[in-house]
Amino acid sequence: VAKVYSQQEHGIDPSLIDSDAVSVIERLVSRGYESYIVGGAVRDLILGRVPKDFDVATAASPRVVHNMFGRRSMIIGRRFKIVHVVFGKKIIEVTTFRSLEDHADDNDNVFGTIEEDCRRRDYSINSLYYNPLDCTVIDFTGAMEDFRKKRLVSLIPLNKTFIEDPVRMVRGVKYSVTTGFSMSLALRRSIKKYAPLLQNVSTSRMTEEINKILSCGMSSPIFKALYDFGLLSYMLPCLAVYGRYPQLYESLQKLDTKVNETTDDARRKSLPKAIMYLSLVNPFIADNPDMTDVREVFQDTLRQTKVLLSPMTPPRFELESTSVMHMRMRGINVPKGSVKGKKRNGPGGQSGRSGQSGRSSRSSRSGQSKTV
């Protein structure tokens, strides 16, 4: 049985709710489909933060949602279909309530009720449903109590959750750092125990998770925690070699300062990914005094950048831009024609919603809940 909290009880400021997300819910509800803002957006709102993304969960099937919003929308994913409703450069991601029924490994398109859907989410702090039409929060899992006690609780048994989706370990560490919530000893031990499972995560999905960490404004303490838990060696094995070096965290702290100072209408804009990648690799790119040709120096810098970021799969343009910026910091100008990659616009490039390419790739591979 769910507990329903009023605005006075949960404290969410309605003015922080994205108007386009509200319009999506209004249209769905007007057609008779139960719909809510869910996941990381609700978590951030309760913490008094402005969410970067607003996601919607609904009783309507993906086909119904797509038909309802027409050309403004697109169905993505294979294992679990979701709908992207587009408003300019903004995307509202709409998912259908998922069932707890058994399903084939390659097909998670078994839809259910809101009561079942909440049990499919990773941590209790991501399991709340916010109704912007009456400003209430619905809590099936005791999440509000976990907020009050500032604790991170897995909704899925620890002997199952990380086997189902190893990325939940990375997210758990990130949530603990960004919220200041504590993890139980059992949860901490489970993360360390199942850390090697991260080797099974696709490179595109891991790239997406790392990009989110770099753009959140708290990358330095998060990377330190990932190193302490033994996760970094499976995420960025070459960079993890320098996990004990303070230069890594000092460089990331400078990035965090830039991210937190960059605002647009009270919302963070994403810095160019090349700047974020530079913060990771810049302290550890070695100069070769035997190289005198600038083009040769550029190629060597690019090679080291790729190795340090491996197995991430950023576009070549991002890697080359990172290398160019590193050389400029050394007072070396890269000749025209050395950069061969092309800047990509839209999903996955520097314009458009950050990380969308990874979201699409991930959605086609996994039916796990999406959290930010």
Side-chain angles (χ1 to χ4, degrees):
V1 177
K3 291 185 178 180
V4 180
Y5 293 88
S6 66
Q7 181 182 348
Q8 184 177 4
E9 292 172 311
H10 59 65
I12 291 177
D13 182 355
S15 68
L16 299 179
I17 309 299
D18 184 270
S19 59
D20 292 322
V22 175
S23 69
V24 168
I25 290 176
E26 287 175 337
R27 182 177 295 190
L28 288 166
V29 171
S30 70
R31 302 289 181 88
Y33 297 104
E34 188 178 12
S35 305
Y36 304 92
I37 293 172
V38 295
V42 185
R43 178 194 69 232
D44 290 345
L45 288 165
I46 290 178
L47 293 172
R49 302 169 183 174
V50 181
K52 297 180 69 174
D53 302 314
F54 285 83
D55 298 334
V56 172
T58 180
S61 70
R63 182 57 58 187
V64 168
V65 176
H66 180 52
N67 291 339
M68 194 177 299
F69 291 94
R71 294 180 179 179
R72 184 183 289 277
S73 66
M74 66 185 77
I75 296 178
I76 68 169
R78 179 178 59 85
R79 181 175 176 181
F80 185 73
K81 297 182 184 300
I82 60 178
V83 181
H84 280 177
V85 183
V86 182
F87 295 88
K89 293 184 177 181
K90 182 198 311 175
I91 291 176
I92 304 298
E93 189 169 284
V94 183
T95 60
T96 304
F97 296 145
R98 291 165 298 170
S99 172
L100 290 174
E101 294 180 15
D102 292 334
H103 52 80
D105 290 339
D106 61 347
N107 182 15
D108 198 15
N109 294 292
V110 181
F111 306 123
T113 64
I114 183 175
E115 291 87 352
E116 293 177 290
D117 186 75
C118 71
R119 293 292 176 182
R120 292 288 302 272
R121 299 187 178 273
D122 51 4
Y123 297 95
S124 63
I125 60 174
N126 294 324
S127 66
L128 294 172
Y129 297 75
Y130 178 74
N131 185 345
L133 306 185
D134 63 9
C135 298
T136 57
V137 164
I138 300 177
D139 179 7
F140 287 93
T141 63
M144 291 298 289
E145 182 68 9
D146 293 334
F147 272 97
R148 187 180 70 82
K149 294 185 177 180
K150 295 185 176 182
R151 62 189 181 191
L152 189 68
V153 177
S154 174
L155 291 179
I156 303 172
L158 294 177
N159 63 353
K160 181 180 179 181
T161 182
F162 301 136
I163 296 175
E164 284 185 350
D165 184 7
V167 173
R168 288 173 181 160
M169 292 183 280
V170 178
R171 292 173 178 165
V173 172
K174 180 176 71 173
Y175 297 149
S176 179
V177 172
T178 57
T179 63
F181 288 8
S182 62
M183 288 191 281
S184 67
L185 180 60
L187 177 54
R188 297 172 68 89
R189 285 178 172 173
S190 293
I191 290 176
K192 293 182 178 181
K193 174 182 177 180
Y194 292 107
L197 294 179
L198 285 174
Q199 297 175 101
N200 303 327
V201 177
S202 67
T203 55
S204 61
R205 193 170 179 214
M206 189 59 70
T207 299
E208 176 194 7
E209 291 299 324
I210 293 172
N211 285 342
K212 288 180 180 179
I213 293 172
L214 291 173
S215 63
C216 77
M218 295 188 69
S219 66
S220 182
I222 292 173
F223 269 91
K224 182 62 170 65
L226 290 171
Y227 174 77
D228 291 341
F229 272 95
L231 302 183
L232 192 59
S233 60
Y234 298 103
M235 299 169 65
L236 293 168
C238 296
L239 194 71
V241 173
Y242 304 101
R244 294 183 179 180
Y245 287 59
Q247 294 95 316
L248 173 61
Y249 308 109
E250 292 168 0
S251 182
L252 288 172
Q253 184 58 57
K254 293 177 182 178
L255 170 66
D256 294 338
T257 300
K258 289 181 182 178
V259 170
N260 293 320
E261 289 177 348
T262 305
T263 58
D264 180 23
D265 296 331
R267 294 177 184 273
R268 286 197 189 100
K269 294 192 302 184
S270 294
L271 290 172
K273 290 187 177 64
I275 292 179
M276 296 192 292
Y277 298 151
L278 182 66
S279 299
L280 281 174
V281 304
N282 190 56
F284 309 114
I285 294 179
D287 299 338
N288 188 338
D290 296 331
M291 291 184 179
T292 56
D293 182 81
V294 175
R295 294 179 186 273
E296 188 180 11
V297 174
F298 173 74
Q299 290 301 321
D300 183 65
T301 302
L302 179 60
R303 178 190 61 79
Q304 293 188 61
T305 299
K306 289 180 179 179
V307 170
L308 287 168
L309 294 179
S310 175
M312 289 180 67
T313 56
R316 181 179 175 86
F317 173 81
E318 306 288 1
L319 296 172
E320 290 181 336
S321 298
T322 301
S323 302
V324 169
M325 286 190 288
H326 172 78
M327 291 182 65
R328 286 177 178 170
M329 292 178 67
R330 295 165 53 192
I332 304 174
N333 290 322
V334 179
K336 291 183 179 180
S338 298
V339 178
K340 299 178 181 179
K342 293 183 179 180
K343 181 178 180 179
R344 295 191 302 168
N345 292 323
Q350 288 199 17
S351 0
R353 184 174 177 175
S354 173
Q356 183 182 333
S357 175
R359 295 171 74 139
S360 300
S361 299
R362 179 206 49 203
S363 298
S364 66
R365 291 176 170 83
S366 171
Q368 306 304 332
S369 60
K370 196 281 298 179
T371 49
V372 180

